[in-house]
Structures are given as C-alpha cells and as structure tokens.
Amino acid sequence: MHSFLLRGNAVLTFALTVLAVACVLASLTDTLHSSKPEVNVEILSVDAFGRNPGGNDEVVLTLHISADLQSVFTWNTKQLFVFLAAEYESSKNVLNQISIWDSIIQSKEDAKIHRRTRNKYSFVDQGSNLRGKDFNLTLHWNIMPVTGAMFSEKRVLTGFRLPKNYM
Amino acid sequence: MEMVRNAVHSVRSIHYRQLATQIISLGMIVTSALIIWKGLMCVTGSESPVVVVLSGSMEPGFQRGDILFLRMTKDPIRAGEIVVFNVDGRDIPIVHRVIKVHERQETGEVEVLTKGDNNYGDDRLLYAQGQLWLQRHHIMGRAVGFLPYVGWVTIIMTEKPVIKYILIGVLGLLVLTSKE
C-alpha cells in the first residue's frame, strides 16, 4: 500500500481528476458571459458579375466590414473565428450560405475590425439565380475556448441586393 | 534487481484461483472501458465521440494533440460549424469548418464545402475524384468541445507502437504481481 509506484499512481490520478474538474468549471464560466458586439457591413462596389466558366453565376464585391467584438472575449477564450456569409434563397435551394470572408482574432485588443476588402472566397451560385437577388450578409463568430465547450453567435444584416443585369 | 527477483518469486508462488481472479479483474477493467466508449457513442449520436487532432490544418485554434468532443444531431448543417467527415476510400477522419452550404428545397438534402482554417484553399483536393461537395452521410459529427494536449498519448502510441506494447506489458505485470 505504500510502494513508490502505488503512490505515484494515486498522485497522478488525483492530479488528472482535479485538472478535468477545473476544465469543466472554466468552461461553465463561459455560459454566464454576456456580450455587446457591434457590427456593420457595407457593399462599396460590385466589381464583376456574370457567369463563370462552370456556367454558374459569380460576383466579385468590395466590402467594408466594421465590427467591435471586444466584449465577446472571456478569460477562457483562445480565439474568435469570424466569417461573413452571404445568405439567400433560390428556386433550387431553400438556403444558400456562402462564406466570402474570414479572419482569426487572437486577442481582445485585435477584436476591433475595420476592413475594406474584396471577397476572400468566391461568391458562386449553384446555377444562375443571382440577378436582382436579395440577400443577407451575416457576420458569424465562433468562440474557441482555451478549454471546454465552443459557442457560436451571429449578427444578420439584411437589405442587400445584387444588380438586375450582368456587368 | 530486488524488484525483479520479488516479481519472479511472486509469479512462481501464485495460486491458480488467485491468478484466475486477477485475470478476470483485468478483463473487467477492459470491458468497462469498452462499455463507457460505446455508451458515449450512444449519448452523442456519433460514431466517434472523441477524436484526436492529427494535423495542423485548423491552427491556431486546434493544434496537433488536442482532443475534440463530437456530437451528431438531426439539426441541419450550417456554415461555420466544425465537422468531422470521412472521404470515401480513406479511413482517417478530417476535422474542418463548413464554409458553403446549399440546402435543397423539398428534400432538405444538403451539399457542403469545407476548409481547414489554416489551409489556403478549400477541401476539394481532399475529396474523392470528381467529388465537389460533401453530403450529410459523409459527416460523422460536429465538434462541440475541446481539451488541449490530452491526445498526445494516443498520437505517441500510434506512431511508436513499441511504447504501447511496453505500457501494456508493464500494466499486465503490475496487475499479476500485486498482492491485493
């Protein structure tokens, strides 16, 4: 009952158990946190709009994205994965979600976004449904913890519309 | 040297009933681990409720050696979710983020494109020949939680199987020679 190995085993098991409980408690504190994010996105210009070589509608936009996500950070937050998705309905698909820009924010200080940029990923439809299309731009952020449960929040911005004709 | 001589002596002086009891206890430990694993599979609805991150394609969020807790529900798959999927013909699951979703009107069937946060391009290069999208049946679970570093044990045991055998050998010897 007093051998070196048995004592070592007991200490190790206890340490791992305490660590696991600490991780769970740390994660639980995230559920108590409330955030006040501010988000605004504008489309500055439609730079190209037509059919791509695959026959599907494709559009290139220049956007201005501004967001203040500092209040989303908790002590248990490792990073925020932020992405902007264009969301719309077409006759074929009840929902299309296309991520057109993303960014990783690793500290609270970097959580104020003021970006003027072209869409990072191609905004391509399945088919030819984008002319005159009304769509939402939703800013999503995935809260990735130091340890424990992951959360996801979003802010939907409505009222965007693509041109009636190809450019 | 003393320890080895003691171990050899206790192995030689072991009674058969005691030996049988200890082998059965070992079996019970293994079986309870299996029960816990299968139980987790039921509760989380996923074929692999826990996976180890093997590559750096999701850095800096997930590093090699972290473990992810997975869950599969009937909820529709949406952009931003981190999903685990198997490509036809490969048996190593991949954990990446969904960046595009196209959900059909009547049937609710979905076509999904994924990408690792740390990769430059999307996952079309990883999919099977000619495959452009993932469907729901490719996806085994969503990542809902995360623990850092714990998965290194599994990685070391997979990449250097010698260590696995040594560990099992030592554990087996300890169980057989303990006088409890």
Side-chain angles (χ1 to χ4, degrees):
Chain A
M1 217 42 214
H2 303 292
S3 77
F4 178 72
L5 279 169
L6 284 170
R7 277 180 177 161
N9 179 43
V11 168
L12 196 64
T13 316
F14 187 61
L16 287 177
T17 314
V18 168
L19 207 59
V21 170
C23 284
V24 170
L25 289 178
S27 184
L28 281 179
T29 64
D30 279 344
T31 57
L32 302 170
H33 182 83
S34 62
S35 59
K36 290 188 297 285
E38 286 165 25
V39 175
N40 190 37
V41 179
E42 282 163 34
I43 297 184
L44 298 176
S45 61
V46 177
D47 302 329
F49 185 22
R51 289 232 180 117
N52 69 10
N56 295 313
D57 277 358
E58 180 164 352
V59 61
V60 178
L61 305 166
T62 302
L63 309 151
H64 182 250
I65 305 170
S66 71
D68 183 353
L69 297 175
Q70 289 194 320
S71 59
V72 179
F73 269 82
T74 73
W75 71 294
N76 190 32
T77 302
K78 179 197 245 182
Q79 69 178 40
L80 292 186
F81 185 87
V82 184
F83 69 99
L84 186 70
E87 299 175 357
Y88 62 94
E89 183 176 351
S90 63
S91 50
K92 181 166 142 190
N93 294 323
V94 65
L95 175 66
N96 300 282
Q97 281 182 311
I98 306 192
S99 170
I100 56 176
W101 176 84
D102 61 32
S103 171
I104 292 177
I105 303 178
Q106 294 195 285
S107 71
K108 196 167 172 173
E109 293 69 46
D110 298 334
K112 278 200 168 142
I113 305 172
H114 258 299
R115 199 75 69 89
R116 184 202 152 104
T117 174
R118 280 240 172 107
N119 49 304
K120 196 169 171 186
Y121 305 114
S122 51
F123 186 163
V124 181
D125 185 31
Q126 281 189 335
S128 219
N129 304 294
L130 291 184
R131 274 165 291 182
K133 176 62 73 182
D134 290 313
F135 65 103
N136 294 340
L137 283 176
T138 305
L139 194 72
H140 299 250
W141 52 94
N142 187 205
I143 303 162
M144 295 166 79
V146 172
T147 140
M150 288 199 291
F151 299 96
S152 196
E153 291 170 3
K154 63 185 181 186
R155 183 64 64 81
V156 182
L157 299 165
T158 59
F160 299 96
R161 179 179 292 174
L162 287 170
K164 273 213 191 80
N165 298 305
Y166 291 143
M167 289 163 51
Chain B
M1 215 40 230
E2 254 297 298
M3 264 181 67
V4 175
R5 207 181 300 145
N6 277 339
V8 170
H9 176 78
S10 50
V11 168
R12 228 185 271 154
S13 69
I14 217 161
H15 299 291
Y16 290 115
R17 185 177 288 178
Q18 199 182 3
L19 180 67
T21 312
Q22 288 183 327
I23 290 180
I24 289 179
S25 331
L26 194 63
M28 291 284 280
I29 295 174
V30 171
T31 319
S32 3
L34 200 62
I35 292 176
I36 293 175
W37 183 254
K38 293 289 177 185
L40 272 180
M41 275 172 63
C42 272
V43 163
T44 63
S46 166
E47 269 174 37
S48 41
V50 181
V51 289
V52 178
V53 176
L54 295 172
S55 76
S57 57
M58 284 294 282
E59 285 182 12
F62 303 147
Q63 320 265 1
R64 199 165 128 84
D66 295 339
I67 67 170
L68 295 175
F69 299 104
L70 307 181
R71 180 175 261 176
M72 193 61 191
T73 65
K74 293 240 176 354
D75 294 337
I77 300 176
R78 291 289 174 251
E81 294 178 346
I82 299 175
V83 296
V84 180
F85 59 93
N86 264 330
V87 177
D88 302 322
R90 301 199 200 177
D91 50 19
I92 301 186
I94 304 177
V95 187
H96 282 171
R97 195 183 294 271
V98 173
I99 60 167
K100 291 192 184 175
V101 173
H102 296 282
E103 185 174 316
R104 293 278 178 275
Q105 286 277 6
E106 309 287 299
T107 62
E109 275 165 23
V110 76
E111 285 183 325
V112 149
L113 180 62
T114 57
K115 174 182 173 293
D117 289 351
N118 204 25
N119 289 346
Y120 181 73
D122 58 42
D123 287 347
R124 288 213 165 109
L125 291 173
L126 296 173
Y127 298 164
Q129 189 75 280
Q131 183 187 0
L132 294 175
W133 306 97
L134 289 179
Q135 274 98 34
R136 201 185 171 93
H137 65 87
H138 290 112
I139 291 175
M140 297 180 344
R142 291 184 188 86
V144 293
F146 153 89
L147 271 184
Y149 310 124
V150 179
W152 268 113
V153 178
T154 315
I155 292 184
I156 292 174
M157 293 214 291
T158 315
E159 296 190 355
K160 297 203 165 53
V162 181
I163 299 194
K164 195 188 340 178
Y165 297 134
I166 293 179
L167 210 64
I168 293 184
V170 166
L171 280 174
L173 211 62
L174 278 176
V175 169
L176 288 174
T177 60
S178 76
K179 296 239 190 289
E180 295 172 38

